[in-house]
Amino acid sequence: MSAKERFYVTTPIYYPSDNLHIGHAYTTTVADSLARWHRFAGREVYFVTGSDEHGQKIQRAAAAKGVTPKEYVDVIVASFKDLWEKLNITYDDFVRTTDDRHTKAVQAVFQKIYEKGDIYKSAYEGWYCTPCETFWLESRLEDGKCPDCHRPVEWVKEESYFFRLSKYADRLLKHIEEHPEFIQPETRRNEMVNFIKSGLEDLCISRTTFDWGIPVPSDERHVVYVWFDALTNYLTALGYPEQTELLDRFWPADLHLVGKEIMRFHTIVWPIMLMALDLPLPKTVFGHGWLLFDSDKMSKSKGNVVDPIALMAEFGVDPIRYFLLREISFGQDGNFSRRALIERTNADLANDLGNLLNRTLSMLNRYCAGVVPQPAGELKEIDQDLISYASGLAEKVDGLIKELKINEALASIWRLVGRANKYVDERAPWNLAKLEDKGELGTVMYNLVETLRVVALLVKSFIPETGAKIWAQLGLEGLESCTLADAAWGLLQPGTQTRKGDPIFPRIEVEKEAPEPVQEKQEKPEQPKIEKAAPAAPEGVLIGIEDFMKCELVVAEVLAAERIQGADKLLKLQVDVGSEKRQIVAGIALHYKPEELVGRRIIVVKNLKPAKLRGELSQGMLLAATAPDGHLEIVSVSAAIPAGSKVK
Ligand code: ME8
């Protein structure tokens, strides 16, 4: 039997100098989704994250609070773990650099490289950026400031140990050339190659002007430089310096996932440390882009960070996970905005996926008593089309995930969801249900439920709660033990009793453009103006006529209608409401072709606050009725009633 494939993935270990923000949640959500996917695909996975607790930055932050560094980090590290639990992160190990096992690993690494002759004692005199914990040559500064974070640097002069980076430059360049997958994406590889070619200086790897760090073996006046300390965590997690079974199984790492700003440490310093230790290099270091806020990098000092805990409390976990994974082209920078999050949730989760589940199970309840029927009869081309796309999808997603094309993997799953929604409209089960021979209805309903089963399996690594909810509504069990092979077409058992539940993603109504709410701002923002629409009045609650009269309903003639690019569900209508012309955006594109609407007299709520949908102004709302299976019809009157007529 061939050995199982393995996958060791890591995130950066974050600084507990402050609470984590959505940018940190991004890296960790990506790593978690990859780890979950590879486990699902039957691979042996090890997933490590942690906290980078030493260094001058933390020591100063603790002193400012009047507590010891350890007291300071203990509180913040607990909040990291709480965040990861809320975000459903399934790490196998969490390395704290204050763990004893880590001290042992760092001291062993230092000693081994020292004995090899690649560490020597000298004195450092030069610039240092404390927020980035980085030494800088004068020539690399920009306007005298740190070229990475643009904050002031400090002049440091102290006795230090140095690591002979320069000795390994050629070997590293050769490795990069021979292993194009080592540094990804390609733009980062080019940046790193240029950096190395511009000349590597030996690196200062100890400090003596403060003591919050791991002591250098046999010279305890020095503490190990925080990056030399932190990078070692990837070995600590496997039990280094012991020759453990974990180390044998999982080293070299398959993927170090990091933000692009710390690529130099991971693709130059870390590989050279490993070369000096005679250990193999990680297979891939991927430097992803930044999550920007108003096109600027989020950072505490700029006061523009978004708090993931507050977002999860408001929107739930899976909308946040989905947004991060789907919205941002992996490798590139992407913008975070509340508006984009709401639109993504509504379009992909509520409308596409949620609606497919809801309408399929409603129809199954109505036509088949909620029981999965036996497919019967010959397959039509439309059926074949759906089945063949769904059948090849698991393998396709696996390929995309292996290539780290995460947003494309999700897009390919959502193409199946889109196809299935279209399939409902094309195959119109409500018409098939009227036929005496129920064979074709059985085939169509089976195909829909089976599509949802496949979708639940394929999405569960990315949005785990959603996968589980769909699975439960389909009346299935044993999701945890399913593997990629279970996503093959046709494994759904006819006779399965489904259990329709509440909609899995209620739509979030957007009323107005609003400033983005942020975790912390120099000036407190006004109350966020994007509001969720008031929920529909519960059934049975009576309202007075004066409440109803507040609603100005009029007849409107549709003058023109068109699709909105990039929004499958929306149509943009130009209507005449008697007194004026208005634009209305309505989510009816799956039910009406634009040309079917022109000339119709529809009913609109004229005094609804204007809203923007996909950047298009909507000045009113049309009335429509939706059947439980999702079939939708617009309310309209004949041409005898002119535009502008009141409706009561
Ligand atoms: O650098 N967009 O820790 P750190 C995307 N301790 N990702 C972001 C982000 C943003 N706006 N902001 C942060 C350190 N990140 C070191 C690491 S590893 C041996 C030591 C993510 O707390 C991204 O992964 O500053 C980035 O590289 C990391 O957080 C920086 O976290």
Side-chain angles (χ1 to χ4, degrees):
M1 202 178 88
S2 66
K4 263 191 172 183
E5 277 182 84
R6 290 179 183 135
F7 184 69
Y8 176 25
V9 58
T10 65
T11 71
I13 52 170
Y14 307 111
Y15 289 125
S17 47
D18 227 321
N19 287 335
L20 298 181
H21 59 67
I22 194 81
H24 303 102
Y26 174 57
T27 317
T28 305
T29 301
V30 171
D32 181 64
S33 301
L34 295 174
R36 284 174 180 267
W37 179 271
H38 287 294
R39 282 185 208 119
F40 171 59
R43 296 168 193 131
E44 274 184 55
V45 170
Y46 209 61
F47 167 24
V48 173
T49 186
S51 48
D52 184 359
E53 305 182 19
H54 292 128
Q56 200 163 15
K57 170 159 74 171
I58 304 274
Q59 186 161 6
R60 283 185 186 165
K65 284 255 156 92
V67 293
T68 66
K70 186 66 170 49
E71 283 166 340
Y72 183 79
V73 293
D74 278 350
V75 174
I76 300 185
V77 171
S79 79
F80 284 16
K81 291 186 175 174
D82 180 52
L83 171 62
W84 301 146
E85 195 180 327
K86 289 199 166 79
L87 204 52
N88 287 325
I89 303 300
T90 55
Y91 54 79
D92 294 293
D93 197 357
F94 188 105
V95 176
R96 294 188 60 169
T97 56
T98 49
D99 289 344
D100 285 345
R101 59 177 178 155
H102 181 70
T103 301
K104 275 195 204 119
V106 171
Q107 291 185 330
V109 167
F110 195 102
Q111 192 60 27
K112 197 155 183 217
I113 300 179
Y114 182 79
E115 281 165 14
K116 190 162 186 184
D118 288 338
I119 290 176
Y120 59 94
K121 201 176 196 175
S122 179
Y124 179 77
E125 188 166 357
W127 296 105
Y128 192 75
C129 172
T130 306
C132 296
E133 299 281 16
T134 305
F135 297 96
W136 286 113
L137 282 178
E138 173 111 17
S139 58
R140 298 218 192 246
L141 298 183
E142 286 172 13
D143 297 331
K145 295 198 173 141
C146 169
D148 278 354
C149 73
H150 306 289
R151 283 178 278 209
V153 285
E154 296 168 56
W155 187 255
V156 172
K157 186 175 176 193
E158 57 192 47
E159 183 188 85
S160 291
Y161 284 92
F162 282 77
F163 177 33
R164 291 187 206 281
L165 284 192
S166 50
K167 173 178 156 188
Y168 290 88
D170 290 342
R171 213 174 124 187
L172 181 59
L173 278 173
K174 189 159 175 283
H175 182 87
I176 295 172
E177 204 173 290
E178 287 171 359
H179 300 85
E181 72 292 351
F182 175 51
I183 304 180
Q184 293 185 43
E186 198 183 336
T187 44
R188 311 263 181 269
R189 178 161 66 244
N190 298 338
E191 284 164 18
M192 292 305 112
V193 167
N194 289 340
F195 191 93
I196 301 166
K197 284 188 175 160
S198 72
L200 289 188
E201 299 282 316
D202 289 350
L203 179 71
C204 176
I205 53 160
S206 76
R207 305 287 313 268
T208 42
T209 45
F210 64 93
D211 61 3
W212 180 234
I214 294 175
V216 166
S218 27
D219 195 350
E220 302 219 335
R221 281 178 310 112
H222 291 249
V223 291
V224 175
Y225 170 46
V226 65
W227 269 103
F228 194 92
D229 162 345
L231 289 162
T232 304
N233 93 88
Y234 303 128
L235 288 175
T236 304
L238 302 180
Y240 187 91
E242 309 309 326
Q243 194 56 49
T244 59
E245 191 253 342
L246 268 182
L247 194 66
D248 281 347
R249 253 177 43 213
F250 288 108
W251 194 261
D254 294 270
L255 177 63
H256 291 317
L257 208 53
V258 300
K260 62 183 180 183
E261 81 290 356
I262 55 174
M263 281 299 266
R264 256 178 296 119
F265 293 104
H266 284 83
T267 62
I268 299 175
V269 180
W270 179 229
I272 292 181
M273 285 169 70
L274 291 164
M275 284 175 180
L277 291 168
D278 296 316
L279 285 172
L281 306 197
K283 290 177 202 153
T284 297
V285 180
F286 192 102
H288 65 67
W290 286 337
L291 216 56
L292 305 175
F293 183 90
D294 283 342
S295 306
D296 200 0
K297 184 169 188 250
M298 282 182 209
S299 89
K300 268 275 168 181
S301 61
K302 290 180 197 147
N304 65 353
V305 291
V306 175
D307 174 13
I309 300 260
L311 276 185
M312 282 191 281
E314 187 174 4
F315 296 104
V317 179
D318 281 358
I320 312 299
R321 287 182 65 118
Y322 182 77
F323 175 83
L324 294 174
L325 298 168
R326 175 69 183 88
E327 187 83 6
I328 295 144
S329 279
F330 195 54
Q332 291 166 25
D333 289 349
N335 252 309
F336 174 84
S337 91
R338 196 180 151 83
R339 172 162 298 277
L341 169 66
I342 292 175
E343 284 181 1
R344 229 344 133 189
T345 305
N346 280 345
D348 293 11
L349 299 178
N351 288 5
D352 291 346
L353 182 56
N355 203 21
L356 179 65
L357 178 69
N358 201 44
R359 65 203 296 221
T360 299
L361 294 188
S362 292
M363 290 187 289
L364 198 72
N365 278 347
R366 182 129 32 98
Y367 308 133
C368 314
V371 177
V372 177
Q374 184 77 44
E378 258 186 36
L379 295 176
K380 295 209 151 79
E381 207 181 312
I382 307 177
D383 305 319
Q384 290 286 14
D385 195 44
L386 178 79
I387 295 172
S388 77
Y389 187 77
S391 304
L393 192 53
E395 210 172 305
K396 180 174 176 163
V397 174
D398 193 40
L400 289 168
I401 291 294
K402 282 181 174 165
E403 289 176 54
L404 298 172
K405 294 182 174 162
I406 297 165
N407 53 312
E408 288 181 37
L410 284 174
S412 72
I413 302 172
W414 256 257
R415 270 198 288 282
L416 175 61
V417 174
R419 261 169 196 245
N421 269 317
K422 209 164 146 227
Y423 180 78
V424 174
D425 298 333
E426 287 163 346
R427 295 294 263 129
W430 44 92
N431 290 334
L432 300 177
K434 292 181 199 148
L435 303 177
E436 201 159 310
D437 179 353
K438 300 283 187 263
E440 210 174 333
L441 174 72
T443 301
V444 169
M445 292 313 302
Y446 181 91
N447 289 346
L448 284 169
V449 183
E450 177 59 343
T451 298
L452 281 161
R453 191 190 66 87
V454 170
V455 167
L457 288 173
L458 298 186
V459 299
K460 80 180 182 100
S461 305
F462 311 101
I463 42 176
E465 290 183 2
T466 304
K469 280 185 192 164
I470 299 176
W471 201 253
Q473 292 207 15
L474 298 184
L476 302 170
E477 279 166 10
L479 180 62
E480 296 70 33
S481 52
C482 285
T483 68
L484 203 56
D486 294 301
W489 184 266
L491 300 183
L492 175 65
Q493 290 301 318
T496 304
Q497 174 68 58
T498 60
R499 286 185 243 128
K500 183 175 180 301
D502 291 335
I504 51 174
F505 292 106
R507 252 189 88 79
I508 309 159
E509 294 301 334
V510 183
E511 288 190 347
K512 277 190 181 174
E513 298 280 358
E516 301 293 332
V518 292
Q519 195 175 41
E520 190 185 86
K521 266 205 167 197
Q522 275 84 355
E523 289 165 47
K524 246 192 154 333
E526 284 177 25
Q527 273 302 90
K529 290 200 190 106
I530 296 179
E531 293 151 17
K532 289 186 190 175
E539 269 177 48
V541 174
L542 300 179
I543 59 164
I545 184 78
E546 65 286 357
D547 285 328
F548 176 70
M549 293 307 281
K550 283 186 203 152
C551 201
E552 207 183 327
L553 296 172
V554 297
V555 173
E557 180 180 348
V558 181
L559 304 172
E562 61 179 309
R563 296 189 182 280
I564 297 179
Q565 259 203 345
D568 301 350
K569 303 286 159 53
L570 299 180
L571 287 186
K572 186 166 74 175
L573 313 181
Q574 307 305 326
V575 300
D576 175 1
V577 291
S579 50
E580 59 184 299
K581 297 210 171 69
R582 293 246 182 127
Q583 172 167 295
I584 291 180
V585 178
I588 53 171
L590 290 181
H591 306 274
Y592 289 92
K593 298 198 178 87
E595 56 275 19
E596 284 178 80
L597 295 170
V598 177
R600 279 178 77 153
R601 307 269 159 106
I602 61 173
I603 312 293
V604 302
V605 185
K606 193 177 157 194
N607 59 339
L608 197 70
K609 285 184 202 161
K612 263 196 173 174
L613 295 167
R614 290 287 169 127
E616 294 284 353
L617 187 63
S618 185
Q619 306 160 289
M621 186 178 81
L622 59 76
L623 298 193
T626 316
D629 60 16
H631 177 68
L632 177 145
E633 281 186 21
I634 292 178
V635 180
S636 56
V637 295
S638 76
I641 314 276
S645 305
K646 278 199 171 352
V647 178
K648 302 190 266 190

